[in-house]
Amino acid sequence: MPISLLKDFEHWGFYSPLDHELRMVDASNTPFVTYDNGMPCFEANMYMHQQLELTRSRRVNGGTLSTYAKHIHHIVRFCYKNKLRFSQLTDSTFTLFVQGLQGERDKLGELVRSNNHVIQIAQRCLNFLCFVQSCHDLKNFIGKGAENAIRITIKIHRISIEGSKKKKEVEVISHACIPTKDAVKKKFPVSEDDALKVWDYIKTQENREKRLRDIALYQCLEELGARVSEIHLITLKDVENAIKSGVNPHLSIETLKKEDDSSRSIPVTSALLTDIKQYINKVRKKVIKRTLGKNKDHGYLFVSLTTGGALQSATLTRYMNKWKYELGIKGELHPHLYRHAFITNKLKEIILQHKDITSADKFREHLLHTERFKMQLQQWTGHTHIHSLNTYIDLVFADLHGYSTAYNAVQLNDSVKIVKRQIQRAKQQLKGKEITVTEGILLIEETLSAFEKDIEQSLNARH
């Protein structure tokens, strides 16, 4: 593999004069970069070590550090294929490299990368080449002057930090060949038709273990509105706490893209927890027992069926790309679209419950002056800056045009959808003789019990 993550890896931290020992620090999940022939790329790995020293995140599957490794590996591979040392690159060869990134197409003939993605890769590669120049003490290799083989420009940008009022200044390295940004696209949620196609596919998968796991995973994607990496950080303990949280169950979700570690609590239906419990009891326990063993259980909810390891967020993205191709879906399909759908629907629920909110501008005014709105939105979405929701607000009011009545019991609506799915699955399992009649009755009883709790919760919310 050209990029692998070093497990149980440590590197030296400092020498303790008191103990006369070299202190080591954890560096697990640091990316290790190789050429296509398997030989290590020393410059790339030294660059990774530098970024590690700058405390780049390694939290989720290598985090930011892994993203940087994937970006610079493009220039590593380009140089390997063209038998070039990094120091032999020039303006013309770097331009050829960027044009290759722009022009690459998949098997359907569609472009692999947007301009924005190309920009990210190219700028990270330029940063890496500046490191190479410093590392090898090169002269006139990369810089702003005309005497350099690769001539760059440097701009200063002030960017907002999610979760903070402060802004930080960052240097952005660019080059004449780097394309302009794509036009800003509106965050349209996944369409109901496409979502239904995916659901029908998931619930009819032949592999029972994969079917039950993917059903629970898909329900979480739809009902929690979390980032896909946040869903993969859910633990058994989080689910246990949600089940114990009483008549109004809440699931704790870690919130990523913040300066500090934080979490948020999202209201969930008892019906969703029933699906998750079925996956845990029927699938997860068996997978862990036959792979890692109970004593080595990592505690994450969603696991690989083959290794027992924590399921990676990239796996769901690969699944969706595969489903899109097999189901003939023409529109976009990726996990984050479900987050857009969740946020849009939740905003719609708030608006429909307040008849005095008649326009997008009036709703923004409520957001500015009503702490209750802000807290509710923050709990659901994990956003800090209200302006991040502007696109969703406009989309909701376009969708609500012509609505005249509000509706209640919005969580009950979610529960009804899940219960319908559960009953359909029970019938399917009975028909396929995957479960006995007794097991089917118990499953339906458990489903109806969870539904009763959701009805009770909804009725209490009305009073």
Side-chain angles (χ1 to χ4, degrees):
M1 292 177 62
I3 300 173
S4 56
L5 299 181
L6 301 174
K7 304 296 183 183
D8 302 319
F9 177 58
E10 294 181 327
H11 74 93
W12 61 270
F14 63 93
Y15 179 77
S16 171
L18 295 176
D19 301 325
H20 304 290
E21 288 183 357
L22 184 63
R23 298 294 189 190
M24 306 298 288
V25 296
D26 175 56
S28 55
N29 282 338
T30 297
F32 184 74
V33 184
T34 64
Y35 292 104
D36 286 358
N37 63 358
M39 294 296 292
C41 177
F42 296 109
E43 293 91 346
N45 290 311
M46 289 169 68
Y47 181 71
M48 286 296 101
H49 183 268
Q50 182 204 56
Q51 298 301 310
L52 179 65
E53 292 293 304
L54 293 172
T55 65
R56 304 299 186 197
S57 166
R58 294 169 284 123
R59 187 176 175 192
V60 181
N61 199 25
T64 302
L65 211 58
S66 180
T67 300
Y68 286 0
K70 291 172 184 175
H71 285 173
I72 68 169
H73 188 261
H74 289 285
I75 197 77
V76 170
R77 174 167 285 177
F78 176 83
C79 288
Y80 177 80
K81 286 185 175 181
N82 290 281
K83 298 180 180 179
L84 292 169
R85 295 191 300 272
F86 295 122
S87 58
Q88 292 178 306
L89 289 167
T90 63
D91 273 332
S92 59
T93 49
F94 187 78
T95 299
L96 186 64
F97 163 67
V98 173
Q99 288 173 343
L101 293 175
Q102 283 184 279
E104 188 175 348
R105 295 180 180 272
D106 61 19
K107 59 185 178 183
L108 297 177
E110 296 181 1
L111 289 172
V112 172
R113 301 176 190 89
S114 65
N115 277 0
N116 291 349
H117 192 192
V118 172
I119 292 169
Q120 290 174 348
I121 295 171
Q123 289 178 340
R124 181 52 49 189
C125 289
L126 289 172
N127 185 277
F128 167 62
L129 294 176
C130 288
F131 170 82
V132 170
Q133 175 168 261
S134 174
C135 180
H136 290 299
D137 197 24
L138 301 174
K139 303 296 182 185
N140 301 333
F141 171 51
I142 183 169
K144 294 187 289 184
E147 70 278 5
N148 293 286
I150 300 176
R151 191 173 180 181
I152 59 173
T153 57
I154 298 178
K155 297 178 181 179
I156 305 295
H157 289 292
R158 298 185 73 226
I159 61 173
S160 299
I161 303 171
E162 185 76 20
S164 171
K165 293 181 180 179
K166 297 183 293 184
K167 289 191 175 184
K168 65 178 181 180
E169 290 188 348
V170 294
E171 283 190 354
V172 177
I173 303 174
S174 191
H175 187 271
C177 70
I178 293 179
T180 56
K181 286 186 176 182
D182 296 312
V184 177
K185 292 183 179 180
K186 288 195 173 184
K187 302 173 183 177
F188 290 109
V190 63
S191 74
E192 288 187 17
D193 287 344
D194 290 345
L196 185 59
K197 286 179 183 178
V198 174
W199 170 249
D200 286 340
Y201 180 91
I202 288 173
K203 73 176 185 180
T204 56
Q205 292 179 103
E206 291 185 7
N207 185 316
R208 183 171 181 264
E209 288 189 342
K210 189 173 186 303
R211 183 170 71 244
L212 292 179
R213 184 202 62 187
D214 290 353
I215 282 170
L217 180 58
Y218 186 84
Q219 301 278 47
C220 285
L221 197 64
E222 276 198 331
E223 303 300 327
L224 300 179
R227 300 172 180 92
V228 65
S229 295
E230 294 170 345
I231 290 174
H232 287 283
L233 289 175
I234 298 172
T235 64
L236 293 177
K237 188 68 176 176
D238 295 329
V239 175
E240 183 183 333
N241 289 338
I243 293 170
K244 291 179 179 178
S245 59
V247 294
N248 298 309
H250 282 66
L251 184 66
S252 179
I253 299 285
E254 289 196 49
T255 301
L256 301 178
K257 294 195 174 183
K258 293 286 185 76
E259 283 189 299
D260 53 356
D261 293 341
S262 61
S263 62
R264 63 188 187 275
S265 184
I266 300 177
V268 294
T269 63
S270 297
L272 173 61
L273 294 178
T274 298
D275 262 344
I276 294 175
K277 283 191 294 182
Q278 186 184 20
Y279 153 68
I280 292 172
N281 295 327
K282 299 287 186 182
V283 179
R284 192 188 183 283
K285 286 181 179 178
K286 293 179 181 178
V287 171
I288 293 296
K289 184 178 180 180
R290 72 168 181 255
T291 54
L292 301 176
K294 189 176 179 180
N295 293 334
K296 293 184 179 180
D297 190 344
H298 44 71
Y300 289 108
L301 174 60
F302 293 108
V303 300
S304 164
L305 302 179
T306 53
T307 68
L311 196 68
Q312 303 299 324
S313 56
T315 302
L316 183 56
T317 302
R318 286 198 300 272
Y319 282 168
M320 288 213 163
N321 287 335
K322 177 174 175 284
W323 296 339
K324 177 182 176 179
Y325 177 72
E326 291 184 355
L327 297 173
I329 293 174
K330 301 299 181 183
E332 285 190 84
L333 184 72
H334 53 80
H336 208 70
L337 294 183
Y338 286 83
R339 174 169 164 81
H340 297 333
F342 173 88
I343 295 171
T344 303
N345 289 333
K346 289 300 179 186
L347 283 170
K348 187 185 297 183
E349 290 169 9
I350 294 176
I351 293 164
L352 286 174
Q353 289 177 13
H354 295 82
K355 295 181 180 180
D356 57 322
I357 300 176
T358 55
S359 69
D361 289 338
K362 199 159 188 177
F363 185 61
R364 289 191 185 93
E365 187 179 329
H366 274 265
L367 288 179
L368 290 172
H369 298 97
T370 310
E371 285 301 315
R372 179 172 168 273
F373 276 129
K374 294 178 187 176
M375 290 172 64
Q376 197 169 14
L377 287 169
Q378 185 180 25
Q379 276 298 103
W380 280 338
T381 68
H383 285 99
T384 300
H385 302 301
I386 296 301
H387 63 72
S388 300
L389 297 164
N390 280 343
T391 302
Y392 301 111
I393 293 169
D394 293 333
L395 193 59
V396 168
F397 274 95
D399 191 36
L400 288 177
H401 183 69
Y403 277 57
S404 58
T405 59
Y407 62 91
N408 295 312
V410 287
Q411 263 199 289
L412 184 60
N413 189 50
D414 291 338
S415 184
V416 168
K417 180 172 66 175
I418 295 177
V419 168
K420 282 182 178 178
R421 290 175 174 178
Q422 289 170 339
I423 298 297
Q424 286 174 349
R425 288 206 314 277
K427 289 165 64 178
Q428 179 184 333
Q429 288 174 307
L430 284 167
K431 188 176 180 179
K433 297 183 179 180
E434 294 182 15
I435 57 176
T436 65
V437 173
T438 302
E439 287 176 322
I441 292 171
L442 289 173
L443 180 60
I444 292 171
E445 284 180 348
E446 189 176 4
T447 298
L448 292 177
S449 176
F451 189 40
E452 285 174 359
K453 290 180 183 178
D454 291 332
I455 292 172
E456 183 181 352
Q457 178 186 342
S458 177
L459 290 174
N460 289 337
R462 289 186 178 187
H463 300 298

